[in-house]
Structure formats: C-alpha cells, structure tokens
Amino acid sequence: DMKAKDLKKLGLQDLIKKEEELRRELLRLRFKKKVEGLPNPMQIRNTRRDLARVLTLIREKELRGEA
C-alpha cells in the first residue's frame, strides 16, 4: 500500500512504470482470485486505489506541463 507523499517524489517516467506494474498486479490478482481464491481479498481494492493514486499524479504532472 503506497502513500501519496511517497509517490509525489517520483518523476513522470517512474509513475508511468508504476502504473504498468500495478495494472499487471491487478490482472494477476483477478486471475488468481478466479482460479484459487485470494487469502486477502482486500489486495484487489488496495491495488486499484494505488493505481488511481498513480493515475491522478500522472494527470496532475501533465496539467502542470511536467511531461
């Protein structure tokens, strides 16, 4: 679970890498949930929220012209 202030320290390229990583993780968790079930179903929600945080920061940086 990532904190917004930790993410804000990252540059745009790092955030984009983090986005890809979180999308892959979410896909893996969903697949695993279907196949064998998850020990902690909150993982999917937390990953989705982390992804939303990253996307928000990417958008903020784009709007400020840091792209």
Side-chain angles (χ1 to χ4, degrees), residues 7 10-24 50-51 53-59 61-62 66-67:
L7 289 172
L10 298 176
L12 189 62
Q13 292 307 313
D14 294 327
L15 285 171
I16 290 168
K17 280 188 196 125
K18 189 61 108 171
E19 176 196 352
E20 291 168 5
E21 184 184 305
L22 286 168
R23 286 189 191 278
R24 279 194 300 272
D50 287 342
L51 181 58
R53 271 187 207 108
V54 168
L55 290 172
T56 300
L57 288 169
I58 288 172
R59 184 76 183 121
K61 285 182 183 289
E62 285 172 349
E66 294 179 32

Side-chain angles (χ1 to χ4, degrees), residues 6-65:
D6 297 333
L7 289 172
K8 281 184 179 169
K9 295 174 188 168
L10 298 176
L12 189 62
Q13 292 307 313
D14 294 327
L15 285 171
I16 290 168
K17 280 188 196 125
K18 189 61 108 171
E19 176 196 352
E20 291 168 5
E21 184 184 305
L22 286 168
R23 286 189 191 278
R24 279 194 300 272
E25 175 73 6
L26 200 51
L27 201 64
R28 188 186 66 76
L29 286 172
R30 285 184 180 139
F31 185 72
K32 188 176 178 186
K33 181 182 171 189
K34 289 288 183 205
V35 174
E36 63 197 65
L38 290 172
N40 180 5
M42 290 293 286
Q43 284 176 297
I44 289 180
R45 180 204 253 180
N46 292 338
T47 305
R48 247 188 14 244
R49 288 183 175 178
D50 287 342
L51 181 58
R53 271 187 207 108
V54 168
L55 290 172
T56 300
L57 288 169
I58 288 172
R59 184 76 183 121
E60 282 176 5
K61 285 182 183 289
E62 285 172 349
L63 288 174
R64 281 199 308 256

